[in-house]
Amino acid sequence: MSKFTKEMVDSYAEKLLIGLTPEENKMVLDEFHEIDKSIDIINEIPNIGMVEAMTHALDDFTCELRSDVAEPSIPIEDALRNAGSTDGREIEVAKVVSEA
């Protein structure tokens, strides 16, 4: 029995607003099946449930955060002067999402 179905992939794609062609759906479904196979292999490792989850690959990893100090930002006119194209006080950028 398959854990993922064509209908599930279509439903997720619809929720994500990405719409898939039948070929793309099959590709995604095939990838899900490969991931499932890999997970099944991992789950066959004896005592895998006893392994403590790790948060970082290095045991001695430490993260030091800088202090949060408010600093004045540059004047908006200076930022706009460095922009390629502007519309009033806004920077124009290339369109990255097409209309469906």
Side-chain angles (χ1 to χ4, degrees):
M1 182 174 138
S2 176
K3 295 180 184 178
F4 295 100
T5 65
K6 176 187 179 312
E7 292 74 23
M8 289 171 70
V9 173
D10 282 335
S11 173
Y12 296 143
E14 183 179 327
K15 289 174 184 171
L16 293 170
L17 304 175
I18 58 174
L20 298 176
T21 66
E23 295 80 22
E24 291 169 330
N25 182 297
K26 182 180 179 336
M27 181 185 69
V28 171
L29 199 53
D30 290 345
E31 287 295 322
F32 280 165
H33 289 305
E34 289 301 314
I35 292 168
D36 264 348
K37 282 193 235 177
S38 297
I39 291 172
D40 289 342
I41 292 169
I42 291 170
N43 285 332
E44 290 176 10
I45 298 172
N47 300 321
I48 191 72
M50 306 289 289
V51 176
E52 183 179 337
M54 55 187 230
T55 57
H56 198 275
L58 304 175
D59 291 336
D60 61 349
F61 178 75
T62 57
C63 180
E64 296 193 23
L65 301 176
R66 63 175 173 80
S67 38
D68 192 12
V69 178
E71 297 179 3
S73 60
I74 65 172
I76 200 162
E77 293 76 19
D78 291 345
L80 293 173
R81 191 172 23 255
N82 288 323
S85 180
T86 61
D87 181 12
R89 293 174 49 107
E90 298 175 352
I91 297 173
E92 292 181 357
V93 296
K95 185 174 183 176
V96 294
V97 178
S98 65
E99 295 178 23

Coordinates of all heavy atoms in Angstrom, one line a residue:
M1 N 0.8 -1.2 0.0 CA 0.0 0.0 0.0 C 0.9 1.3 0.0 O 1.8 1.4 0.8 CB -0.9 0.0 1.2 CG -1.8 1.2 1.3 SD -3.0 1.0 2.7 CE -3.0 2.6 3.3
S2 N 0.6 2.2 -0.8 CA 1.3 3.4 -1.0 C 1.0 4.4 0.1 O -0.2 4.5 0.5 CB 1.0 4.0 -2.3 OG 1.7 5.3 -2.4
K3 N 2.0 5.1 0.7 CA 1.7 6.1 1.7 C 1.3 7.4 1.1 O 0.6 8.2 1.7 CB 3.0 6.3 2.5 CG 3.4 5.1 3.3 CD 4.7 5.3 4.1 CE 5.1 4.1 4.8 NZ 6.4 4.3 5.6
F4 N 1.7 7.7 -0.1 CA 1.3 8.9 -0.8 C 0.5 8.5 -2.1 O 0.8 7.6 -2.7 CB 2.6 9.7 -1.2 CG 3.4 10.2 -0.1 CD1 4.5 9.5 0.4 CD2 3.0 11.3 0.6 CE1 5.2 10.0 1.4 CE2 3.7 11.8 1.7 CZ 4.8 11.1 2.1
T5 N -0.5 9.3 -2.4 CA -1.3 9.1 -3.5 C -1.3 10.3 -4.5 O -0.9 11.4 -4.0 CB -2.7 8.8 -3.1 OG1 -3.3 10.0 -2.6 CG2 -2.9 7.6 -2.2
K6 N -1.7 10.1 -5.7 CA -1.8 11.2 -6.7 C -2.7 12.3 -6.1 O -2.4 13.5 -6.2 CB -2.3 10.6 -8.0 CG -2.5 11.7 -9.0 CD -3.2 11.1 -10.3 CE -3.5 12.2 -11.3 NZ -4.1 13.4 -10.9
E7 N -3.8 11.9 -5.5 CA -4.7 12.9 -4.9 C -4.1 13.7 -3.8 O -4.4 14.9 -3.7 CB -6.0 12.1 -4.4 CG -6.8 11.5 -5.5 CD -6.2 10.2 -6.1 OE1 -5.4 9.6 -5.4 OE2 -6.6 9.9 -7.2
M8 N -3.3 13.0 -3.0 CA -2.6 13.8 -1.9 C -1.6 14.8 -2.5 O -1.6 16.0 -2.1 CB -1.8 12.8 -1.0 CG -2.7 11.9 -0.2 SD -1.7 10.7 0.7 CE -0.8 11.6 1.8
V9 N -0.9 14.4 -3.5 CA 0.1 15.4 -4.2 C -0.7 16.5 -4.8 O -0.3 17.7 -4.6 CB 0.9 14.6 -5.2 CG1 1.8 15.7 -6.0 CG2 1.8 13.6 -4.5
D10 N -1.8 16.2 -5.5 CA -2.6 17.3 -6.1 C -3.2 18.2 -5.0 O -3.2 19.4 -5.2 CB -3.8 16.7 -6.9 CG -3.4 16.1 -8.2 OD1 -2.3 16.6 -8.7 OD2 -4.1 15.3 -8.8
S11 N -3.6 17.7 -3.9 CA -4.2 18.5 -2.8 C -3.1 19.4 -2.2 O -3.3 20.6 -2.0 CB -4.7 17.5 -1.7 OG -5.1 18.3 -0.6
Y12 N -1.9 18.8 -2.0 CA -0.8 19.7 -1.4 C -0.4 20.8 -2.4 O -0.2 21.9 -2.1 CB 0.4 18.8 -1.1 CG 0.2 17.8 0.0 CD1 0.8 16.6 -0.1 CD2 -0.6 18.1 1.1 CE1 0.6 15.6 0.9 CE2 -0.8 17.2 2.1 CZ -0.2 15.9 2.0 OH -0.4 15.0 3.0
A13 N -0.4 20.4 -3.7 CA 0.0 21.4 -4.7 C -1.0 22.5 -4.8 O -0.7 23.7 -4.9 CB 0.1 20.7 -6.1
E14 N -2.3 22.1 -4.7 CA -3.4 23.1 -4.7 C -3.3 24.1 -3.5 O -3.4 25.3 -3.6 CB -4.7 22.4 -4.7 CG -5.9 23.4 -4.8 CD -7.2 22.7 -4.8 OE1 -7.3 21.6 -5.4 OE2 -8.2 23.2 -4.3
K15 N -3.0 23.5 -2.3 CA -2.9 24.3 -1.1 C -1.7 25.3 -1.2 O -1.7 26.4 -0.6 CB -2.7 23.4 0.1 CG -4.0 22.7 0.5 CD -3.8 21.7 1.6 CE -5.1 21.0 1.9 NZ -4.9 19.9 2.8
L16 N -0.6 24.8 -1.9 CA 0.6 25.6 -2.0 C 0.5 26.6 -3.2 O 1.4 27.3 -3.5 CB 1.8 24.8 -2.2 CG 2.2 24.0 -0.9 CD1 3.2 22.9 -1.3 CD2 2.6 24.9 0.2
L17 N -0.6 26.5 -4.0 CA -0.9 27.3 -5.1 C 0.2 27.1 -6.2 O 0.6 28.1 -6.9 CB -1.0 28.8 -4.7 CG -2.0 29.2 -3.7 CD1 -1.9 30.6 -3.3 CD2 -3.4 28.8 -4.1
I18 N 0.6 25.9 -6.4 CA 1.7 25.7 -7.4 C 1.2 24.9 -8.6 O 1.9 24.7 -9.6 CB 2.9 25.0 -6.8 CG1 2.6 23.7 -6.1 CG2 3.6 25.9 -5.9 CD1 3.8 22.9 -5.7
G19 N 0.0 24.3 -8.5 CA -0.6 23.5 -9.6 C 0.4 22.7 -10.4 O 1.4 23.2 -10.9
L20 N 0.2 21.4 -10.5 CA 1.1 20.5 -11.1 C 0.5 19.9 -12.4 O -0.7 19.5 -12.4 CB 1.6 19.4 -10.2 CG 2.3 19.8 -8.9 CD1 2.5 18.6 -8.0 CD2 3.6 20.5 -9.2
T21 N 1.3 19.7 -13.4 CA 0.9 18.9 -14.6 C 0.9 17.5 -14.2 O 1.5 17.1 -13.2 CB 1.8 19.1 -15.8 OG1 3.1 18.6 -15.4 CG2 1.9 20.6 -16.1
P22 N 0.2 16.6 -14.9 CA 0.2 15.2 -14.6 C 1.7 14.6 -14.6 O 2.0 13.8 -13.7 CB -0.5 14.5 -15.8 CG -1.5 15.6 -16.2 CD -0.7 16.9 -16.0
E23 N 2.6 15.1 -15.4 CA 4.0 14.6 -15.4 C 4.7 15.1 -14.2 O 5.4 14.3 -13.6 CB 4.7 15.2 -16.7 CG 4.2 14.7 -18.0 CD 2.9 15.4 -18.5 OE1 2.7 16.5 -18.0 OE2 2.2 14.8 -19.3
E24 N 4.4 16.3 -13.7 CA 5.1 16.8 -12.5 C 4.5 16.1 -11.3 O 5.3 15.8 -10.4 CB 4.8 18.3 -12.4 CG 5.5 19.2 -13.4 CD 5.0 20.6 -13.4 OE1 3.9 20.9 -13.1 OE2 5.9 21.5 -13.7
N25 N 3.2 15.8 -11.3 CA 2.6 15.0 -10.2 C 3.3 13.7 -10.1 O 3.7 13.2 -9.0 CB 1.1 14.9 -10.4 CG 0.5 14.1 -9.2 OD1 0.8 13.0 -9.0 ND2 -0.4 14.8 -8.6
K26 N 3.5 13.0 -11.2 CA 4.2 11.7 -11.2 C 5.6 11.8 -10.7 O 6.0 11.0 -9.9 CB 4.1 11.1 -12.6 CG 4.8 9.7 -12.6 CD 4.7 9.1 -14.0 CE 5.4 7.7 -14.1 NZ 6.3 7.3 -13.1
M27 N 6.3 12.8 -11.1 CA 7.7 13.0 -10.7 C 7.7 13.2 -9.1 O 8.5 12.6 -8.4 CB 8.3 14.3 -11.3 CG 9.7 14.5 -10.9 SD 10.4 16.0 -11.6 CE 9.4 17.3 -10.8
V28 N 6.8 14.1 -8.6 CA 6.8 14.3 -7.2 C 6.4 13.0 -6.4 O 7.0 12.6 -5.4 CB 5.8 15.4 -6.8 CG1 5.5 15.5 -5.3 CG2 6.3 16.8 -7.4
L29 N 5.4 12.3 -6.9 CA 5.0 11.0 -6.3 C 6.1 10.0 -6.3 O 6.4 9.3 -5.3 CB 3.8 10.5 -7.1 CG 2.9 9.5 -6.4 CD1 2.5 9.9 -5.0 CD2 1.7 9.1 -7.2
D30 N 6.9 9.9 -7.4 CA 8.0 9.0 -7.5 C 9.1 9.4 -6.4 O 9.7 8.5 -5.8 CB 8.7 9.0 -8.9 CG 7.8 8.4 -9.9 OD1 6.8 7.6 -9.5 OD2 8.0 8.6 -11.1
E31 N 9.3 10.7 -6.3 CA 10.3 11.2 -5.3 C 9.8 10.8 -3.9 O 10.6 10.4 -3.0 CB 10.5 12.7 -5.4 CG 11.3 13.1 -6.6 CD 12.7 12.6 -6.5 OE1 13.3 12.6 -5.4 OE2 13.2 12.2 -7.6
F32 N 8.5 11.0 -3.6 CA 7.9 10.6 -2.3 C 8.1 9.1 -2.0 O 8.5 8.7 -0.9 CB 6.5 11.0 -2.2 CG 6.2 12.4 -1.9 CD1 4.9 12.9 -2.1 CD2 7.2 13.3 -1.4 CE1 4.6 14.3 -1.8 CE2 6.9 14.6 -1.1 CZ 5.6 15.1 -1.3
H33 N 8.0 8.3 -3.0 CA 8.1 6.9 -2.9 C 9.6 6.5 -2.6 O 9.9 5.7 -1.7 CB 7.7 6.1 -4.1 CG 6.2 6.1 -4.3 ND1 5.3 5.6 -3.4 CD2 5.4 6.5 -5.4 CE1 4.1 5.8 -3.8 NE2 4.1 6.3 -5.0
E34 N 10.5 7.2 -3.2 CA 12.0 7.0 -2.9 C 12.3 7.4 -1.5 O 13.1 6.8 -0.8 CB 12.8 7.8 -3.9 CG 12.8 7.2 -5.3 CD 13.3 5.8 -5.3 OE1 14.3 5.4 -4.7 OE2 12.6 5.0 -6.0
I35 N 11.7 8.6 -1.1 CA 11.9 9.0 0.3 C 11.4 8.0 1.3 O 12.0 7.7 2.3 CB 11.3 10.4 0.5 CG1 12.1 11.5 -0.3 CG2 11.3 10.8 2.0 CD1 11.4 12.8 -0.4
D36 N 10.2 7.5 1.0 CA 9.6 6.5 1.8 C 10.5 5.2 2.0 O 10.6 4.7 3.1 CB 8.2 6.0 1.3 CG 7.1 6.8 1.9 OD1 7.3 7.4 2.9 OD2 5.9 6.6 1.4
K37 N 11.1 4.8 0.8 CA 11.9 3.6 0.9 C 13.1 3.9 1.8 O 13.5 3.0 2.6 CB 12.4 3.3 -0.5 CG 11.4 2.6 -1.4 CD 12.1 2.0 -2.6 CE 11.4 2.5 -3.9 NZ 12.1 2.0 -5.1
S38 N 13.7 5.1 1.7 CA 14.9 5.5 2.5 C 14.5 5.5 4.0 O 15.2 5.0 4.8 CB 15.4 6.8 2.1 OG 15.9 6.8 0.8
I39 N 13.3 6.0 4.3 CA 12.9 6.1 5.7 C 12.6 4.6 6.2 O 13.0 4.3 7.4 CB 11.6 6.9 5.8 CG1 12.0 8.4 5.6 CG2 11.0 6.8 7.2 CD1 10.8 9.3 5.5
D40 N 12.1 3.8 5.4 CA 11.8 2.4 5.8 C 13.2 1.7 6.1 O 13.3 0.9 7.1 CB 11.1 1.6 4.7 CG 9.6 2.1 4.6 OD1 9.1 2.7 5.6 OD2 9.0 1.8 3.6
I41 N 14.2 1.9 5.3 CA 15.5 1.4 5.5 C 16.1 1.9 6.9 O 16.6 1.1 7.7 CB 16.5 1.7 4.4 CG1 16.0 0.9 3.1 CG2 17.9 1.3 4.7 CD1 16.7 1.3 1.8
I42 N 16.0 3.2 7.1 CA 16.5 3.7 8.3 C 15.7 3.1 9.5 O 16.3 2.8 10.6 CB 16.3 5.3 8.3 CG1 17.3 5.8 7.3 CG2 16.6 5.9 9.7 CD1 17.1 7.3 7.0
N43 N 14.4 3.0 9.4 CA 13.6 2.4 10.5 C 14.0 1.0 10.8 O 13.6 0.5 11.9 CB 12.1 2.6 10.2 CG 11.7 4.0 10.4 OD1 12.2 4.8 11.2 ND2 10.6 4.4 9.7
E44 N 14.6 0.3 9.9 CA 15.0 -1.1 10.2 C 16.3 -1.2 11.0 O 16.7 -2.3 11.5 CB 15.2 -1.8 8.8 CG 14.0 -2.1 8.1 CD 14.2 -2.7 6.7 OE1 15.4 -3.1 6.5 OE2 13.3 -2.8 5.9
I45 N 17.0 -0.1 11.3 CA 18.2 -0.1 12.1 C 17.8 -0.4 13.5 O 16.9 0.2 14.1 CB 18.9 1.3 12.0 CG1 19.3 1.6 10.6 CG2 20.1 1.3 13.0 CD1 19.9 3.0 10.4
P46 N 18.5 -1.5 14.1 CA 18.1 -1.8 15.5 C 18.3 -0.7 16.4 O 19.3 0.1 16.4 CB 19.1 -3.0 15.8 CG 19.6 -3.5 14.5 CD 19.5 -2.3 13.5
N47 N 17.3 -0.5 17.3 CA 17.4 0.5 18.4 C 17.5 1.9 17.9 O 18.0 2.8 18.6 CB 18.5 0.2 19.4 CG 18.4 -1.1 20.0 OD1 17.3 -1.6 20.4 ND2 19.5 -1.8 20.2
I48 N 17.0 2.2 16.7 CA 17.1 3.5 16.1 C 16.3 4.5 17.0 O 16.6 5.7 17.1 CB 16.6 3.6 14.7 CG1 16.9 4.9 14.0 CG2 15.1 3.3 14.6 CD1 18.3 5.2 13.7
G49 N 15.2 4.1 17.6 CA 14.4 4.9 18.5 C 15.2 5.3 19.8 O 14.7 6.3 20.4
M50 N 16.2 4.7 20.1 CA 17.0 5.0 21.3 C 18.0 6.1 21.1 O 18.6 6.6 22.0 CB 17.7 3.7 21.8 CG 16.8 2.6 22.1 SD 15.7 2.8 23.5 CE 16.9 2.6 24.8
V51 N 18.3 6.4 19.8 CA 19.3 7.4 19.4 C 18.7 8.8 19.8 O 17.6 9.2 19.4 CB 19.6 7.4 18.0 CG1 20.6 8.5 17.6 CG2 20.2 6.0 17.6
E52 N 19.5 9.6 20.5 CA 19.1 10.9 20.9 C 19.3 11.9 19.7 O 20.3 11.8 19.0 CB 20.0 11.4 22.0 CG 19.6 12.8 22.6 CD 20.5 13.2 23.7 OE1 21.1 12.4 24.4 OE2 20.6 14.5 23.9
A53 N 18.3 12.7 19.5 CA 18.3 13.6 18.4 C 19.4 14.6 18.6 O 19.7 15.1 19.7 CB 17.0 14.3 18.2
M54 N 20.1 15.0 17.5 CA 21.2 16.0 17.7 C 20.7 17.4 17.1 O 19.9 17.4 16.2 CB 22.5 15.6 17.1 CG 22.4 15.2 15.6 SD 24.0 14.5 15.1 CE 24.3 15.5 13.7
T55 N 21.2 18.4 17.7 CA 20.9 19.7 17.2 C 21.9 20.3 16.3 O 21.7 21.3 15.6 CB 20.6 20.7 18.4 OG1 21.8 20.7 19.2 CG2 19.5 20.2 19.3
H56 N 23.1 19.7 16.4 CA 24.2 20.2 15.5 C 25.2 19.1 15.3 O 25.4 18.2 16.2 CB 24.9 21.4 16.2 CG 25.7 22.2 15.2 ND1 27.0 21.9 14.9 CD2 25.4 23.3 14.5 CE1 27.4 22.8 14.0 NE2 26.5 23.6 13.7
A57 N 25.9 19.1 14.2 CA 26.8 18.0 13.9 C 28.1 18.1 14.8 O 28.7 17.0 14.9 CB 27.2 18.1 12.4
L58 N 28.4 19.2 15.4 CA 29.6 19.3 16.2 C 29.1 19.3 17.7 O 28.3 20.1 18.1 CB 30.4 20.5 15.9 CG 30.8 20.7 14.4 CD1 31.5 22.0 14.2 CD2 31.7 19.5 14.0
D59 N 29.8 18.5 18.5 CA 29.4 18.4 19.9 C 29.8 19.7 20.7 O 29.1 20.1 21.6 CB 30.1 17.3 20.6 CG 29.6 15.9 20.2 OD1 28.4 15.9 19.7 OD2 30.4 15.0 20.3
D60 N 30.8 20.4 20.3 CA 31.3 21.6 21.0 C 30.8 22.9 20.3 O 31.4 23.9 20.5 CB 32.8 21.6 21.1 CG 33.5 21.6 19.7 OD1 32.8 21.4 18.7 OD2 34.7 21.8 19.7
F61 N 29.8 22.8 19.6 CA 29.2 24.0 18.9 C 28.6 25.0 19.9 O 27.8 24.6 20.7 CB 28.2 23.6 17.9 CG 27.6 24.7 17.2 CD1 28.3 25.4 16.2 CD2 26.3 25.2 17.5 CE1 27.7 26.4 15.5 CE2 25.8 26.3 16.8 CZ 26.5 26.9 15.8
T62 N 29.1 26.2 19.9 CA 28.5 27.2 20.7 C 28.2 28.4 19.7 O 28.9 28.7 18.8 CB 29.5 27.7 21.8 OG1 30.7 28.2 21.2 CG2 29.7 26.6 22.8
C63 N 27.2 29.1 20.1 CA 26.7 30.2 19.3 C 26.7 31.4 20.1 O 26.0 31.5 21.1 CB 25.3 29.9 18.7 SG 24.7 31.2 17.7
E64 N 27.5 32.4 19.8 CA 27.5 33.6 20.6 C 26.8 34.7 19.7 O 27.2 35.0 18.6 CB 28.9 34.0 20.9 CG 29.6 33.0 21.8 CD 30.9 33.6 22.4 OE1 31.0 34.8 22.5 OE2 31.7 32.7 22.8
L65 N 25.8 35.3 20.3 CA 25.0 36.3 19.7 C 25.6 37.7 20.0 O 26.0 37.9 21.1 CB 23.5 36.2 20.1 CG 22.8 34.9 19.8 CD1 21.4 34.9 20.4 CD2 22.8 34.6 18.3
R66 N 25.6 38.5 19.0 CA 26.0 39.9 19.3 C 24.9 40.6 20.1 O 23.8 40.2 20.1 CB 26.3 40.7 18.0 CG 25.0 40.8 17.2 CD 25.3 41.7 16.0 NE 24.2 41.8 15.1 CZ 23.1 42.5 15.2 NH1 23.0 43.3 16.3 NH2 22.1 42.5 14.3
S67 N 25.3 41.6 20.9 CA 24.3 42.4 21.6 C 23.4 43.1 20.7 O 23.9 43.6 19.6 CB 25.0 43.3 22.6 OG 26.1 43.9 22.1
D68 N 22.2 43.3 21.0 CA 21.2 43.9 20.2 C 21.2 45.4 20.5 O 20.6 45.9 21.4 CB 19.8 43.3 20.5 CG 18.8 43.8 19.5 OD1 19.2 44.3 18.4 OD2 17.6 43.5 19.7
V69 N 21.9 46.1 19.6 CA 22.1 47.6 19.8 C 21.4 48.3 18.6 O 21.7 48.0 17.5 CB 23.6 47.9 19.9 CG1 23.8 49.4 20.0 CG2 24.3 47.2 21.0
A70 N 20.5 49.2 19.0 CA 19.8 49.9 17.9 C 20.8 51.0 17.4 O 21.4 51.7 18.1 CB 18.6 50.6 18.5
E71 N 20.9 51.0 16.1 CA 21.7 52.0 15.4 C 20.9 52.7 14.4 O 20.0 52.1 13.8 CB 22.9 51.3 14.7 CG 23.8 50.6 15.7 CD 24.9 49.9 14.9 OE1 25.0 50.0 13.7 OE2 25.7 49.2 15.6
P72 N 21.2 54.0 14.1 CA 20.4 54.7 13.1 C 20.6 54.1 11.7 O 21.7 53.7 11.4 CB 20.9 56.1 13.3 CG 22.2 56.0 13.9 CD 22.2 54.8 14.8
S73 N 19.6 54.1 10.9 CA 19.7 53.6 9.6 C 20.1 54.8 8.7 O 20.0 55.9 9.0 CB 18.5 52.9 9.1 OG 17.4 53.8 9.2
I74 N 20.5 54.4 7.4 CA 20.8 55.5 6.5 C 19.5 56.2 6.0 O 18.4 55.6 6.0 CB 21.6 54.9 5.3 CG1 20.7 54.0 4.4 CG2 22.8 54.2 5.7 CD1 21.3 53.5 3.1
P75 N 19.7 57.4 5.7 CA 18.5 58.2 5.2 C 17.9 57.5 3.9 O 18.6 56.9 3.1 CB 19.0 59.6 4.8 CG 20.3 59.7 5.6 CD 20.8 58.3 5.7
I76 N 16.6 57.5 3.8 CA 15.9 56.8 2.7 C 16.4 57.4 1.4 O 16.5 56.6 0.4 CB 14.4 56.9 2.8 CG1 13.8 55.8 2.0 CG2 13.9 58.3 2.5 CD1 12.3 55.5 2.4
E77 N 16.7 58.6 1.3 CA 17.2 59.2 0.0 C 18.5 58.6 -0.4 O 18.7 58.4 -1.6 CB 17.4 60.7 0.2 CG 16.1 61.5 0.4 CD 15.5 61.4 1.8 OE1 16.3 61.0 2.7 OE2 14.3 61.7 2.0
D78 N 19.4 58.3 0.6 CA 20.7 57.6 0.2 C 20.4 56.2 -0.3 O 21.1 55.7 -1.2 CB 21.6 57.5 1.4 CG 22.1 58.9 1.8 OD1 22.0 59.9 1.0 OD2 22.7 59.1 2.9
A79 N 19.5 55.5 0.3 CA 19.1 54.1 -0.1 C 18.6 54.2 -1.5 O 18.9 53.3 -2.4 CB 18.2 53.5 0.9
L80 N 17.7 55.1 -1.8 CA 17.1 55.2 -3.1 C 18.1 55.6 -4.2 O 18.0 55.2 -5.3 CB 15.9 56.2 -3.1 CG 14.7 55.8 -2.2 CD1 13.7 56.9 -2.1 CD2 14.1 54.5 -2.8
R81 N 19.1 56.4 -3.8 CA 20.1 56.8 -4.7 C 20.9 55.6 -5.2 O 21.4 55.6 -6.3 CB 21.0 57.9 -4.1 CG 21.9 58.6 -5.0 CD 22.7 59.7 -4.4 NE 22.9 59.8 -3.0 CZ 22.3 60.6 -2.1 NH1 21.4 61.4 -2.6 NH2 22.5 60.5 -0.8
N82 N 21.0 54.6 -4.4 CA 21.8 53.4 -4.8 C 20.9 52.4 -5.5 O 21.4 51.4 -6.0 CB 22.4 52.7 -3.5 CG 23.5 53.5 -3.0 OD1 24.3 54.1 -3.7 ND2 23.6 53.6 -1.7
A83 N 19.6 52.6 -5.6 CA 18.7 51.7 -6.2 C 18.7 51.9 -7.7 O 18.9 53.0 -8.2 CB 17.3 51.8 -5.7
G84 N 18.5 50.9 -8.5 CA 18.5 51.0 -10.0 C 17.3 51.7 -10.5 O 17.4 52.6 -11.3
S85 N 16.1 51.4 -10.0 CA 14.9 52.0 -10.4 C 14.0 52.2 -9.3 O 13.8 51.3 -8.4 CB 14.2 51.0 -11.5 OG 13.0 51.6 -11.9
T86 N 13.4 53.4 -9.2 CA 12.5 53.7 -8.1 C 11.2 54.3 -8.6 O 11.0 54.7 -9.7 CB 13.2 54.8 -7.2 OG1 13.4 55.9 -7.9 CG2 14.5 54.3 -6.6
D87 N 10.2 54.2 -7.7 CA 8.9 54.8 -7.9 C 8.5 55.5 -6.6 O 8.1 54.9 -5.7 CB 7.9 53.7 -8.2 CG 6.5 54.3 -8.5 OD1 6.4 55.5 -8.7 OD2 5.5 53.5 -8.6
G88 N 8.8 56.8 -6.6 CA 8.6 57.6 -5.4 C 9.6 57.1 -4.3 O 10.8 57.1 -4.5
R89 N 9.1 56.7 -3.2 CA 9.9 56.2 -2.1 C 10.1 54.7 -2.1 O 10.5 54.1 -1.1 CB 9.4 56.7 -0.8 CG 9.5 58.2 -0.6 CD 8.8 58.6 0.7 NE 9.2 57.9 1.9 CZ 10.0 58.4 2.9 NH1 10.5 59.6 2.8 NH2 10.3 57.6 3.9
E90 N 9.7 54.0 -3.2 CA 9.8 52.6 -3.3 C 10.8 52.2 -4.4 O 11.0 52.9 -5.4 CB 8.5 52.0 -3.7 CG 7.4 52.3 -2.6 CD 6.0 51.8 -3.0 OE1 5.9 51.4 -4.2 OE2 5.1 51.8 -2.2
I91 N 11.5 51.0 -4.1 CA 12.4 50.5 -5.1 C 11.7 49.5 -6.0 O 11.0 48.6 -5.5 CB 13.6 49.8 -4.4 CG1 14.4 50.8 -3.5 CG2 14.5 49.1 -5.4 CD1 15.4 50.2 -2.6
E92 N 11.8 49.7 -7.3 CA 11.2 48.7 -8.2 C 12.1 47.5 -8.4 O 13.3 47.7 -8.6 CB 11.0 49.4 -9.6 CG 9.9 50.5 -9.5 CD 9.7 51.2 -10.9 OE1 10.4 50.8 -11.9 OE2 8.8 52.0 -11.0
V93 N 11.5 46.3 -8.4 CA 12.2 45.1 -8.5 C 11.6 44.3 -9.7 O 10.4 44.5 -10.0 CB 12.3 44.3 -7.2 CG1 13.1 45.0 -6.2 CG2 10.9 43.9 -6.8
A94 N 12.3 43.3 -10.2 CA 11.8 42.5 -11.3 C 10.7 41.6 -10.7 O 10.7 41.2 -9.6 CB 12.9 41.6 -11.8
K95 N 9.7 41.4 -11.6 CA 8.6 40.5 -11.2 C 9.1 39.1 -11.2 O 9.8 38.6 -12.1 CB 7.5 40.6 -12.2 CG 6.3 39.9 -11.9 CD 5.2 40.2 -12.9 CE 3.9 39.5 -12.5 NZ 2.8 39.8 -13.4
V96 N 8.8 38.4 -10.1 CA 9.3 37.0 -10.0 C 8.2 36.0 -9.9 O 8.5 34.8 -10.0 CB 10.2 36.8 -8.7 CG1 11.5 37.7 -8.8 CG2 9.4 37.2 -7.4
V97 N 7.0 36.4 -9.9 CA 5.9 35.5 -9.9 C 5.0 35.8 -11.1 O 4.6 36.9 -11.4 CB 5.0 35.6 -8.7 CG1 3.8 34.7 -8.7 CG2 5.9 35.3 -7.4
S98 N 4.7 34.8 -11.9 CA 3.9 35.0 -13.1 C 2.4 34.8 -12.8 O 2.1 34.2 -11.8 CB 4.3 34.1 -14.2 OG 4.0 32.7 -13.9
E99 N 1.6 35.4 -13.6 CA 0.1 35.2 -13.4 C -0.3 33.9 -13.9 O 0.2 33.4 -15.0 CB -0.6 36.3 -14.1 CG -0.3 37.7 -13.5 CD -1.0 38.8 -14.3 OE1 -2.0 38.5 -14.9 OE2 -0.5 40.0 -14.2
A100 N -1.1 33.2 -13.1 CA -1.6 31.9 -13.6 C -2.7 32.0 -14.5 O -3.5 32.9 -14.7 CB -2.0 31.1 -12.3

